[in-house]
């Protein structure tokens, strides 16, 4: 079977992150593979491992969209175990919103031909809108199972659990389908030495918008359907009063709450 | 005035309007002519409640597909109803389902989608949304560049208020043409989650959250929450350990909360936790490790044993209230 996993190169949340420029887009220095995509990759690898892995004719394609540096997200995915990579790289993509992003991702997935399953993380750790999986499913005409906390595959039937606020649901769909997985879905594996060496021989295809037949003005800032009119950095929180308990900290806590009129 | 569509779900919680729906209708009334799109039964009580919020037009469908499948059929309903009334905007709640319906409606109507709005203003006939991004470290003002705006709005973005004059809604039945793929993900079983009796995390004025430091015992957290009328939250470490349901998780991959007061107990304050709570108005931290990063952002921090500090605070609150 052929699985496509979306992998995104996002600013590392361990550092301060910024918006930049007139269009208030994200500053992409110090970026890494989005942590939440590791669960999607693990879900794909577990499904293909159970079916004989690459030797059994299964492929896991790590797909990314972004500038040249975004290839690092694909490379890390190959080290972890993906079979091959596809990188959509084009200057016109800069500043794409979810709508433009899902448009290009749909074209890239169509270009791969026979895809059984598209697996994504629950959200990217930069934009955090979590709407790209549903938009991608809508564009590809695939059934969507989003926010899956477990995924099982029996023949062509995929069964997933989805834990919402009000209900826990079991959902079924027939392949081909799109699934987004939460961080409850599995424990992602790490790249090992063997994987790092093997990744050097794996193929990464880089394509442009022209290769995919997507017009440059359909994407990027020009093709995005949302605009950020203004942006401001929230003042950093500063430490307030810190006390060490010497027997009456609970009382002092209540004094603080009372002073703030919270009790 | 242009039509502003508000999506009303009567399948998961039939019979009444949610408090979020009241807020969305109040917002829609300020922006144009509110049109309610109802999935599921439209009872007389519901219609009179919609009328009280100024809704004169209701589009409604009870087609069974709306409840048997995941969100896609609901998105078909909203998109087709919005097109039928030439809506200039679609407003939805910011739940996972609300955001996904928004996503698909955006594709169907070629409309810009803005999620997680904390406030929405009407500006020259279009809607302007404010939201926090990059884990609450930036705030942005966003608008759709398309003819239709699709916005999912967080709870409490606006104070709900009935219309000065109630309307009598005209109800129109919609026959949705479902896309084949929309009927591709079937709900085979559904188990309701037990209600805790406490406020919902995202609605609560006060949140008391516990982490690794509670060491499996959430009792002190729950007791403090109950004397404060607060919701109970948890860090990922606590939900991963199975001490409390994943639905209580606050953070990057859990709920994003922004209460008046957030009391962080036994949580170190890793970046993923901060991402879900640092827009809280006041932060109180209790942790025995003085080096915990949470103390860098706490307005009031206590370095101490939560099993001593919390019960003492609970007793003191009870004493003062008595």
């Amino acid at each position: 079977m052929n699985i496509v996993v979306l992998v995104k190169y996002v600013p590392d949340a361990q550092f301060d992150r910024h918006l930049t420029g007139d269009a208030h887009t994200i500053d992409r220095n110090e970026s890494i593979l989005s942590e939440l995509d590791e669960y999607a990759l693990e879900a794909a690898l577990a499904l293909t491992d159970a079916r004989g892995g690459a030797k059994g004719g299964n492929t896991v394609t790590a797909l990314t969209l972004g500038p040249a540096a975004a290839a690092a997200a694909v490379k890390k995915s190959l080290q972890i175990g993906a079979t091959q990579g596809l990188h959509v790289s084009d200057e016109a993509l800069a500043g794409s919103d979810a709508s433009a992003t899902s448009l290009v991702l749909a074209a890239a997935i169509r270009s791969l031909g026979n895809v059984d399953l598209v697996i994504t993380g629950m959200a990217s750790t930069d934009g955090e809108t979590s709407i790209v999986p549903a938009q991608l499913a809508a564009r590809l005409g695939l059934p969507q199972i989003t926010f899956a906390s477990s995924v099982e595959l029996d023949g062509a039937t995929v069964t997933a659990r989805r834990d919402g606020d009000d209900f826990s649901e079991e959902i079924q769909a027939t392949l081909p389908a799109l699934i987004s997985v939460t961080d409850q879905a599995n424990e992602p594996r790490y790249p090992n030495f063997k994987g790092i060496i093997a990744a050097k021989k794996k193929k990464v295809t880089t394509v442009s918008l022209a290769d995919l037949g997507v017009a440059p003005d359909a994407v990027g800032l020009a093709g995005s359907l949302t605009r950020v009119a203004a942006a401001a950095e929230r003042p950093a929180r500063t430490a307030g009063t810190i006390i060490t308990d010497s027997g009456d900290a609970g009382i002092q806590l209540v004094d603080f709450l009372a002073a703030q009129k919270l009790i | 005035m242009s039509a502003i569509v508000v999506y009303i779900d009567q399948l998961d919680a039939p019979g009444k309007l949610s408090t979020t729906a009241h807020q969305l209708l109040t917002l829609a009334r300020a922006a144009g002519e509110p049109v309610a799109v109802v999935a599921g039964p439209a009872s007389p009580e519901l219609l009179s409640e919609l009328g009280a919020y100024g809704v004169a037009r209701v589009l409604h469908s009870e087609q069974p597909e709306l409840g048997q499948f995941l969100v896609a059929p609901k998105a078909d309903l909203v998109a087709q109803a919005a097109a039928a009334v030439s809506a200039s905007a679609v407003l939805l709640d910011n739940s996972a389902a609300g955001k996904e319906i928004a996503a698909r409606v955006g594709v169907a109507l070629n409309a810009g989608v803005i999620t997680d709005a904390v406030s929405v203003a009407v500006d020259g006939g279009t809607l302007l949304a404010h939201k926090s991004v990059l884990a609450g470290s930036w705030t942005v003002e966003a608008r759709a560049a398309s003819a239709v705006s699709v916005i999912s709005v967080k709870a409490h973005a606006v104070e709900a208020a009935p219309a000065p004059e109630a309307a009598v809604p005209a109800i129109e039945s919609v026959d949705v043409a479902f896309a084949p793929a929309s009927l591709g993900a079937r709900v085979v079983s559904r188990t309701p989650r037990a209600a805790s009796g406490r406020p919902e995390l995202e609605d609560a004025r006060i949140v008391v959250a516990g982490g690794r430091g509670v060491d499996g015992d959430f009792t002190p957290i729950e007791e403090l929450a109950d004397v404060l009328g607060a919701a109970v939250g948890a860090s990922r470490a606590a939900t991963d350990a199975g001490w409390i349901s994943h639905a209580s998780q606050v953070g990057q991959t859990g709920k994003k909360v922004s209460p008046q007061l957030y009391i962080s107990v036994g949580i170190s304050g890793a970046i993923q936790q901060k991402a879900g709570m640092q827009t809280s108005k006041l932060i109180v931290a209790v942790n025995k490790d003085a080096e915990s990063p949470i103390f860098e952002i706490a307005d009031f921090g206590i370095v101490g044993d939560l099993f001593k500090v919390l019960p003492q605070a609970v007793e003191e609150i009870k004493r003062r209230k008595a």
Side-chain angles (χ1 to χ4, degrees), chain A residues 60-142:
Chain A
V60 174
T61 305
L63 166 61
T64 200
L65 178 164
V74 173
K75 193 175 159 196
K76 172 110 186 261
S77 306
L78 298 178
Q79 292 174 345
I80 294 171
T83 327
Q84 59 185 26
L86 178 61
H87 178 193
V88 186
S89 185
D90 201 300
E91 281 182 12
L93 289 169
S96 293
D97 70 354
S99 167
T101 300
S102 63
L103 183 84
V104 180
L105 290 171
I109 291 167
R110 277 194 208 100
S111 79
L112 289 168
N114 188 22
V115 170
D116 299 294
L117 198 53
V118 178
I119 308 185
T120 80
M122 60 186 281
S124 67
T125 56
D126 53 355
E128 286 191 310
T129 64
S130 76
I131 65 175
V132 165
Q135 295 205 317
L136 186 56
R139 291 187 193 280
L140 291 170
L142 294 177

Side-chain angles (χ1 to χ4, degrees), chain A residues 144 146 169 183 225 237 255, chain B residues 100 104 190 253 280 320:
Chain A
Q144 70 177 60
T146 40
E169 295 166 314
D183 59 348
L225 299 172
R237 294 194 85 106
D255 286 341
Chain B
E100 285 185 89
R104 297 182 71 98
R190 175 175 261 201
T253 59
S280 303
R320 292 193 194 187

Side-chain angles (χ1 to χ4, degrees), chain B residues 287-311:
Chain B
N287 199 303
K288 65 181 176 192
D289 177 6
E291 302 301 314
S292 295
I294 190 70
F295 289 123
E296 294 163 14
I297 63 165
D299 298 286
F300 186 68
I302 296 170
V303 180
D305 180 354
L306 73 95
F307 293 99
K308 294 196 174 104
V309 177
L310 265 56

Side-chain angles (χ1 to χ4, degrees), chain B residues 36 44 59 63 118 135 141 163 240 283:
Chain B
L59 274 65
Q63 286 163 275
V118 292
E141 203 176 276
D240 276 358
I283 296 173

Side-chain angles (χ1 to χ4, degrees), chain B residues 204-299:
Chain B
R205 195 171 142 261
I206 303 177
V207 172
V208 185
R212 203 186 299 275
V214 309
D215 201 17
D217 181 7
F218 260 74
T219 318
I221 309 287
E222 289 169 346
E223 287 176 348
L224 181 59
D226 288 342
V227 293
L228 291 170
V232 170
S235 70
R236 185 164 169 205
T239 61
D240 276 358
W243 300 336
I244 187 165
S245 150
H246 177 61
S248 305
Q249 190 187 317
V250 172
Q252 184 183 50
T253 59
K255 304 273 163 53
K256 314 278 193 296
V257 299
S258 205
Q260 291 277 317
L261 169 67
Y262 186 89
I263 304 182
S264 161
V265 184
I267 301 176
S268 67
I271 187 84
Q272 288 84 354
Q273 232 286 313
K274 279 191 202 166
M277 50 66 87
Q278 67 172 337
T279 57
S280 303
K281 195 151 177 260
L282 277 176
I283 296 173
V284 167
V286 181
N287 199 303
K288 65 181 176 192
D289 177 6
E291 302 301 314
S292 295
I294 190 70
F295 289 123
E296 294 163 14
I297 63 165
D299 298 286

